[in-house]
Every structure is written in C-alpha cells, then in structure tokens.
C-alpha cells in the first residue's frame, strides 16, 4: 500500500533514550510484518508510540480499525490470500473479548496471525485507580486459549523479544493457527538501560511439513491402483496454482471423482468431468450416494470428515490425509467427529499430492481453462433478482475481468458458478460467525493489490451490518474493492430454520419471519457506505441494472476506489436444501 492517509505520516524527530516497546516494535519489523491492524488502547500506548515514532509507521504500517473484531478479520482475509501472518494488537482484556469471535473464526479456518495483547501493570502497587484494575488480567490468554495455538505473557523485555519470535514461528508452522503474546504495560514503558539481545531471526527456520513415509505412500498407491470407484474429498488445501495443477493431474491419473466444499474455497475446477458437484456447504443427496458406492474414499484435510462418514453409513476403504489432529483439544469440537479409517497419513494435502505425482512421474504443468464462470443467462426483462440472476448479473458485469470472490453468502447456489482457478474464490470464515465478511474482504483486498485480481465479496445484509465499520478502514487506506450486498432484508438462514421447526410442530409457517426480517425501517446500505467514504450504489432491484452497476463498480475499483452495491435479492431455498429440507417442504 503506497498511499498514507492524511495525518498518518509522522514527523521524524530524533528523541533521546530507548524504551521497552521500541525493542518489541523492532522485533516485529525484523520478523517481516508489513502491517499491524489495531484499535487504539491505553494498555499498549507504549507500543503504539514506538510504531509511530521509532519505526515511523513503516514496516509495519498501522491499519486503524474501528472495532477489534474487524482488526482480526482483516488479518484473516490477508492470510487467506498470502498464507502469511499479519500482526494484530488488541487492547487489554476488553479488546480481546471484542475480538474473540474473529479469533475463533481464524482458528477454525487454520490461518496464521500473531496477536499482541496488552495488560495493565501486573504489579498491583503501581496501577492507576479504576481503569488499570479493570484492564488487567492475571492470565489474559485464558479468554481465548482453547482456540489459539500458543500464547505467552512474558515477564521481562528479553523474554518478550523471544516470545515475538516464537509466536511468529509457531503460527506459520503447519497446521497454522493464531498465536498470542500479552505485553505488560510497565515493560513497554520502561527505559532500556541494559543491552537486549535480538535473536538471529533468519536462523529460526519454520519446520517443514513431513512428507508421507515410503510405506504409507506405497500403500496409498496400491489402494488407488486397485480402486474402481475412488473419490477424493478436498478440504483445506493451498491456493497455489502449482498445487491446483498437481491435484488435477493426480485425480486424472487414477480417474478419481472429486468432491469439493464451498466453505474452503476453490480447490478443483468445478467444470471438470471428474468433479462431482456442485460444491456446497453440505453434501447433496447425489454426493452422498457417490460416497456410499465408492470403494475408496480419500479425505484431504476435510472439515468434519468423521461426520460425513457417519452420514453416509458403511463405505469401502477410507484414507485420511491431515495433520489437524495436532490441534485437537477438549474445549471445542470444531475438529469434528473421529475419523475411522484404514490408513491415516500425517501430512498436508499438498505434500501428499506432490509425493503421489512424483511417484507416478505425472505431468503437472497445465494451463488454466478460462471458460465461462456463470451457468445462468441474464434475463434482461426480469424485475426480480433471485440467486440465479445474481450470478448472471455478476458474470455480465465482470466482463471477463480477473476477479477473486473473497466471500459468498450462505444462500449462494454453486451450480450457478464455476471455479476455474484457485484464486477464483477464497472460501468462508471458518467459524461461521456473522460479521466477519467486511473485514475479511478488506484484508484480502489489501493483499490482492499486488496481484492481477480484483477483489469482490458478495455479503449478506446481516453480515455486512455487523461488520460495517470495517469498510471505513478500506476507504481510509484507499484499498480498492467491490462489496455486493446480497440484501434479502432478513436473517434468512434462520427463517429457514424457523420454517423447518414450524413444519415439524404443525405450526404456522407464515410466522417464520418474525424476529428475522430486517425491515421497517429498511437499511439503506448505499447511504451507509457513502457516509464512510465509499461509493454507494443502490438499492438495485432488477438483474439488468445490477449487471450495469457491477460493471461500473469494477471500473471504479480499477481506478483505486472502494464501492458498495445494495442488491435487493429474493430469498432462495438453497439454504433449505443445504439444511436437508426436501422439495416438499417448500411453501
């Protein structure tokens, strides 16, 4: 990011002395962090000063956020594009509590980030009245420890420097997840009189992912050679084009059908003859039948593979490829049900696919199919935007522009859109926590500025409203991106649940929108966007108008602007199908 907003280029005046937070800030720079997302707080006033006046707001550059949850969501979106951690700073226990949902999302999505917390003086005798006591914790990380990978609350400046390095190393070690370092305010503000030894950061190499051992690899190849109906189920895999090509080559070599998951992004070309789709949040009936009929199922770091097996019942040989077991703990069941399998290979999907390709001498250098993404044609005369016409309008508006869909709403029907490149779609948020979409878009858009991709997110109106203030950060730092609010004026996913319960209990389905509908008054998202410095367009009610608005919006994004379109969309029953409701349950 080259443009600094007004007032964020600090005066460069030399000042005497060195402070504890200066040393910590230098460690953050030396470890290669480009940005640090934060919402200001007095518990890290020393570190804030050091980032501004010691490092001059460069490497890392601060990203001012209006809510702590947004700060973590921005780091989450950045990691989904780059695979690298962004630094986040959270104010004391209260800021940490605000951010907890976003941290859980990042944990469930297995993305790296280093979170710096801060606490009031641990030494109670030097605390200011009232505020320092409220914002001090004996074990601050206890608030989030079940869903972070590692934490520390160092007691000295030397140990703090070492902790910064350790947190950075651990968050980037596969499987990745957030780490947390809590910095005592007194340590930040102490004058440095003794020499602090900065670690030789370049000598702290990130551990390599273990490759499949020879016996496991040979047995896996033997299973694949014998299989008549092999299925690969893809979960959390990389978005590197080379890895995408390798997955395709391996699937083609063994004629394995592939099931993908819309929660984890674009992992395999969905128009490929081997893709058993469409991708969805839940398995379709057709996909369940394929799994029942398969004589070999290979799960590649899948979300809740155990529950999938439980749903389809007795199946053939099962192989599980993942290292996710190293993150299991007793607090949450986000890792899912136990996976009963015939072979468990403790490695990453990328390492396994690469080993298979090398073992078979497969050609993995392929060109991308740049075909049509949308499977739905625009109906210019239509006066209603349903989910199909939303997809058609996006396609018409994109005009073959290289777009990355950062997020899609729960109601998205993947049969309307093909993913033909690993950067076509980044996936969901991990923990299914509403409010993360805007922040994740900002972080992803920041990372995509150096790539030939235009960031677009299709967000629900509830998700947008909860995380709305993240859009100010995008406007403030001139981060170009396009938000399309899929505005059905309801928490419609929960309307589907209410309808399901009403039908089970023989109660009025007509009441399903009570306590769900976001109307009376309607929310004007275009005005809310304009109030934060974005270009706001809408509300849009017709598919043809939406395609034009998307085209104009992307043209503005290409000029470096931030744009939001309010698209009024008729709710669909894609969610109902995902939740297992039958066609007969429609009203």
């Amino acid at each position: 990011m080259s443009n600094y907003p007004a007032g964020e280029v600090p005066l460069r005046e030399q000042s005497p002395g060195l402070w504890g937070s200066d040393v910590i800030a230098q460690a953050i720079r030396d470890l290669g962090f480009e940005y640090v997302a934060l919402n200001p707080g007095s518990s890290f006033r020393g570190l804030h000063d050091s980032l501004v006046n010691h490092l001059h707001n460069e490497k890392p550059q601060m990203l001012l956020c209006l809510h702590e949850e947004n700060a973590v969501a921005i780091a989450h979106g950045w990691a989904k594009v780059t695979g690298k951690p962004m630094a986040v700073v959270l104010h004391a226990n209260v800021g940490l509590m605000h951010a907890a949902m976003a941290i859980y999302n990042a944990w469930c999505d297995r993305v790296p980030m280093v979170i710096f917390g801060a606490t009031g003086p641990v030494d109670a005798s030097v605390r200011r009245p009232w505020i320092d006591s409220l914002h001090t914790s004996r074990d601050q990380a206890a608030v989030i420890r079940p869903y972070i990978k590692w934490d520390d609350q160092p007691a000295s400046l030397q140990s703090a420097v070492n902790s910064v390095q350790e947190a950075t190393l651990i968050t980037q070690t596969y499987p990745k997840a957030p780490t947390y370092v809590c910095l005592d305010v007194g340590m930040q503000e102490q004058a440095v009189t003794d020499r602090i030894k900065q670690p030789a950061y370049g000598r702290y190499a990130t551990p390599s992912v273990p490759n499949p051992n020879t016996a496991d690899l040979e047995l896996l190849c033997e299973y694949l050679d014998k299989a008549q109906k092999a299925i690969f189920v893809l979960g959390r895999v990389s978005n590197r084009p080379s890895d995408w090509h390798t997955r395709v080559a391996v699937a083609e070599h063994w004629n394995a059908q592939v099931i993908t998951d819309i929660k984890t992004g674009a992992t395999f070309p969905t128009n490929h003859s081997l893709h058993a789709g469409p991708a969805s949040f839940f398995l379709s009936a057709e996909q369940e039948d394929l799994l029942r009929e398969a004589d070999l199922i290979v799960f590649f770091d899948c979300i809740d593979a155990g529950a999938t097996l439980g749903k389809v019942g007795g199946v053939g040989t099962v192989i599980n490829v993942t290292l996710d077991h190293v993150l299991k703990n007793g607090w949450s069941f986000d890792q899912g049900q136990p996976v009963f399998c015939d072979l468990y290979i403790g490695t990453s999907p990328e390492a396994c696919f690469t080993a298979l390709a090398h073992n078979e001498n497969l050609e993995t250098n392929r060109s991308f199919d740049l075909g049509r993404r949308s499977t739905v044609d625009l109906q210019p005369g239509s006066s209603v935007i349903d989910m199909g016409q939303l997809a058609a309008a996006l396609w018409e508006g994109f005009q073959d522009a290289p777009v990355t869909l950062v997020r899609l709403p729960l109601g998205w029907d993947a049969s309307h859109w093909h993913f033909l490149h690993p950067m076509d779609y980044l996936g969901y948020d991990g923990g299914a926590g509403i409010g993360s979409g805007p922040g994740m878009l900002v972080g992803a858009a920041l990372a995509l500025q150096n790539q030939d991709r235009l960031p677009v997110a299709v967000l629900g109106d509830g998700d947008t409203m909860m995380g709305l203030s993240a859009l100010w950060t995008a406007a403030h730092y001139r981060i170009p991106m396009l938000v399309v609010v899929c505005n059905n004026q309801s928490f419609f996913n929960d309307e589907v649940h209410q309808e399901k319960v009403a039908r089970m209990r023989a109660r009025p389905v007509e009441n399903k929108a009570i306590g769900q509908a976001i109307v009376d008054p309607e929310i004007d998202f275009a005005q809310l966007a304009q109030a934060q410095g974005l270009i706001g367009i809408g509300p849009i009610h017709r598919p043809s108008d939406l395609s034009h608005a998307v085209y104009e919006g992307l043209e503005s994004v290409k000029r470096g602007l931030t744009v939001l379109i309010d698209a009024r969309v008729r709710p669909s029953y894609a969610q109902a199908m995902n939740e297992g409701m039958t066609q007969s349950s429609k009203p």
Side-chain angles (χ1 to χ4, degrees):
M1 185 170 60
S2 58
N3 294 327
Y4 281 80
E8 293 202 7
V9 179
L11 297 174
R12 292 175 178 261
E13 295 184 359
Q14 296 296 326
S15 59
L18 186 71
W19 307 93
S21 56
D22 294 340
V23 176
I24 295 169
Q26 186 64 48
I28 295 171
R29 168 181 281 180
D30 290 345
L31 284 161
F33 288 96
E34 297 181 49
Y35 299 100
V36 53
L38 56 82
N39 179 263
S42 60
S43 63
F44 63 90
R45 65 185 188 180
L47 180 59
H48 194 132
D49 171 79
S50 296
L51 293 169
V52 173
N53 291 309
H54 185 65
L55 300 187
H56 308 299
N57 199 19
E58 295 176 349
K59 297 181 180 180
Q61 180 183 348
M62 292 192 298
L63 299 174
L64 175 59
C65 304
L66 304 185
H67 194 284
E68 289 90 351
E69 194 168 346
N70 292 339
V72 175
I74 287 171
H76 189 165
W78 168 271
K80 285 180 82 75
V81 173
T82 65
K84 298 177 181 179
M86 180 185 285
V88 179
V89 188
L90 301 176
H91 168 46
N93 45 18
V94 289
L96 185 61
M97 292 173 187
H98 265 169
M101 179 65 242
I103 297 170
Y104 183 67
N105 281 336
W107 162 265
C108 292
D109 211 22
R110 305 297 187 258
V111 298
M113 67 179 66
V114 178
I115 303 168
F116 295 100
T119 182
V122 174
D123 182 353
S125 66
V126 298
R127 291 178 194 158
R128 293 174 296 163
W130 178 58
I131 196 68
D132 276 351
S133 295
L134 288 176
H135 290 175
T136 303
S137 303
R138 187 177 301 278
D139 182 13
Q140 196 157 285
V143 175
I144 57 169
R145 187 167 291 127
Y147 42 96
I148 54 175
K149 193 175 180 183
W150 181 86
D151 72 89
D152 192 19
Q153 188 162 322
S156 71
L157 187 55
Q158 183 65 67
S159 62
V161 170
N162 295 338
S163 291
V164 173
Q165 186 277 326
E166 189 77 351
T168 305
L169 175 74
I170 291 173
T171 195
Q172 296 184 91
T173 302
Y174 188 89
K176 300 175 181 180
T179 55
Y180 180 77
V181 178
C182 185
L183 304 170
D184 177 75
V185 67
M187 179 175 59
Q188 295 176 58
E189 298 184 14
Q190 73 182 52
V192 178
T193 55
D194 298 325
R195 181 177 178 270
I196 302 298
K197 182 180 179 182
Q198 291 282 3
Y201 297 110
R203 300 190 66 183
Y204 286 82
T206 303
S208 300
V209 175
N211 288 316
N213 64 55
T214 301
D216 284 349
L217 185 63
E218 289 179 352
L219 185 55
L220 174 56
C221 289
E222 182 180 332
Y223 279 127
L224 288 166
D225 288 338
K226 291 180 179 179
Q228 298 298 308
K229 293 183 177 180
I231 292 182
F232 293 166
V233 187
L234 300 182
R236 290 178 289 246
V237 298
S238 89
N239 58 17
R240 291 189 296 267
S242 59
D243 293 330
W244 170 283
H245 291 316
T246 301
R247 292 193 289 270
V248 173
V250 171
E252 290 177 344
H253 179 72
W254 276 288
N255 197 37
Q257 290 190 278
V258 177
I259 292 176
T260 62
D261 185 340
I262 201 169
K263 297 188 293 295
T264 55
T267 59
F268 194 87
T270 57
N271 65 346
H272 196 287
S273 60
L274 290 174
H275 186 263
S280 60
F281 287 96
F282 299 90
L283 290 176
S284 66
E286 292 77 12
Q287 289 171 329
E288 290 180 9
D289 288 340
L290 284 173
L291 289 172
R292 291 189 186 98
E293 297 166 1
D295 57 1
L296 175 64
I297 301 172
V298 186
F299 290 104
F300 290 94
D301 200 19
C302 295
I303 297 174
D304 208 350
T308 298
L309 289 174
K311 188 172 180 60
V312 300
V315 296
T317 302
V318 175
I319 298 172
N320 193 25
V321 179
T322 185
L323 275 170
D324 203 51
H325 53 273
V326 304
L327 295 182
K328 281 193 174 183
N329 61 49
W331 181 82
S332 169
F333 294 102
D334 69 277
Q335 289 89 357
Q337 301 286 340
V339 181
F340 297 96
C341 55
D342 301 279
L343 177 62
Y344 198 128
I345 303 178
T347 187
S348 69
E350 290 70 42
C352 188
F353 276 114
T354 299
L356 287 169
H358 287 171
N359 192 70
E360 301 296 311
N361 295 314
L362 302 183
E363 174 59 50
T364 61
N365 187 16
R366 301 274 301 275
S367 60
F368 289 125
D369 178 1
L370 299 178
R372 177 183 172 94
R373 263 67 172 172
S374 175
T375 64
V376 185
D377 292 325
L378 190 70
Q379 299 173 1
S382 176
S383 60
V384 175
I385 304 174
D386 60 15
M387 296 305 287
Q389 285 301 290
L390 173 65
L394 289 174
W395 173 252
E396 293 287 339
F398 288 168
Q399 296 285 306
D400 292 326
V403 166
T404 290
L405 293 170
V406 175
R407 281 283 290 273
L408 292 170
L410 282 173
W412 182 263
D413 187 339
S415 67
H416 295 153
W417 197 274
H418 282 307
F419 303 133
L420 308 180
H421 186 284
M423 290 300 293
D424 276 355
Y425 171 56
L426 298 184
Y428 208 53
D429 63 5
I434 296 178
S436 62
M440 288 179 65
L441 172 59
V442 175
L446 179 63
L448 288 169
Q449 284 191 108
N450 298 321
Q451 301 187 30
D452 185 27
R453 308 284 301 195
L454 299 173
V456 177
V458 186
L459 305 178
D461 46 334
D463 188 26
T464 305
M465 199 62 204
M466 284 191 187
L468 187 71
S469 63
L471 301 180
W472 178 88
T473 299
H476 184 62
Y477 292 101
R478 317 296 192 263
I479 302 172
M481 64 186 203
L482 175 62
V483 186
V484 179
V485 182
C486 182
N487 186 358
N488 55 26
Q489 299 181 287
S490 172
F491 289 103
F492 184 72
N493 185 61
D494 287 287
E495 281 195 43
V496 172
H497 284 289
Q498 290 305 309
E499 177 173 336
K500 190 173 184 179
V501 172
R503 290 185 183 279
M504 288 191 299
R505 299 178 178 180
R507 290 175 173 173
V509 171
E510 293 78 8
N511 292 336
K512 67 179 181 179
I514 296 175
Q516 312 280 4
I518 308 174
V519 294
D520 192 24
E522 297 180 355
I523 296 174
D524 191 327
F525 282 98
Q527 286 195 13
L528 290 173
Q530 292 167 12
Q532 296 188 80
L534 285 73
I535 296 175
I537 303 172
I540 305 292
H541 297 272
R542 297 170 57 88
S544 57
D545 295 337
L546 179 57
S547 67
H548 179 73
V550 169
Y551 175 78
E552 293 297 328
L554 276 184
E555 289 299 304
S556 295
V557 171
K558 292 175 185 177
R559 297 194 299 271
L561 301 175
T562 311
V563 184
L564 179 145
I565 300 171
D566 181 358
R568 299 297 171 89
V569 177
R570 182 176 67 185
S572 76
Y573 275 77
Q575 296 105 312
M577 299 302 104
N578 277 334
E579 290 294 335
M581 296 175 67
T582 63
Q583 292 285 344
S584 61
S585 70
K586 291 184 181 181

